[in-house]
């Protein structure tokens, strides 16, 4: 399994807004299962599900954490497809207001890690990209920076 943290896209108001609200340089997170399928909870899709392939031209920086002993099982990925996007959680992140079983991207990554026995402490009321990075870094799991367009080449 891999956890991917995506840096903000400077041409996207939503991406910049998420970074500002969550006080992190990361505006998105996704999970890659051991079959190579990338999953996320995306605002445009409105729910947790299979993510689109990265654009061959995307220069957006990502930080990829490889967790080969963990996996997002098929059972979990299909069960979580019913989880809607947590717009409330993103808008009211600073005060910790959100809807249970609705996930924004960082919540999805945190829950998947917790299902695999990795605790992710949060600096505020809800999880941010910075919290995910700090939790993985503290376990000695070092992420690798690359561009989205280079992801499939490694």
């Amino acid at each position: 399994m891999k956890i991917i943290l995506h840096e903000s896209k400077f041409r996207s108001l939503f991406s910049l807004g998420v970074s500002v609200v969550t006080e992190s340089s990361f505006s998105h997170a996704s999970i890659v299962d051991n079959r190579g399928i990338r999953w996320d909870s995306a605002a445009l899709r409105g729910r947790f599900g299979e993510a689109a392939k990265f654009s061959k031209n995307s220069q957006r920086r990502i930080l990829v954490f490889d967790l080969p002993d963990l996996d997002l099982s098929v059972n979990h990925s299909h069960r979580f497809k019913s989880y809607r996007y947590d717009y409330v959680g993103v808008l009211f992140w600073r005060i910790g207001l959100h809807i249970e079983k609705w996930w924004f991207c960082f919540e999805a990554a945190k829950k998947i890690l917790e299902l695999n026995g990795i605790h992710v402490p949060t600096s505020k009321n809800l999880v941010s990209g910075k919290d995910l990075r700090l939790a993985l870094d503290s376990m000695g799991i070092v992420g690798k920076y690359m561009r989205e367009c280079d992801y499939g080449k490694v």
Side-chain angles (χ1 to χ4, degrees), residues 86-93 95-104 107 110-111 125-127:
D86 189 3
Y87 300 98
V88 172
V90 170
L91 291 172
F92 297 102
W93 182 86
I95 61 173
L97 182 64
H98 76 108
I99 299 171
E100 282 298 316
K101 293 196 177 183
W102 287 31
W103 288 348
F104 58 87
E107 286 178 302
K110 178 184 181 201
K111 296 289 186 186
N125 295 314
L126 292 174
V127 68

Side-chain angles (χ1 to χ4, degrees), residues 3-7 26 61-65 133 137 142-146:
I3 297 291
I4 301 177
L5 300 177
H6 306 249
E7 288 191 345
F26 303 106
R61 283 176 31 109
I62 56 176
L63 182 58
V64 181
F65 292 90
R133 180 184 184 168
D137 282 348
V142 179
K144 179 180 179 182
Y145 272 104
M146 64 182 65

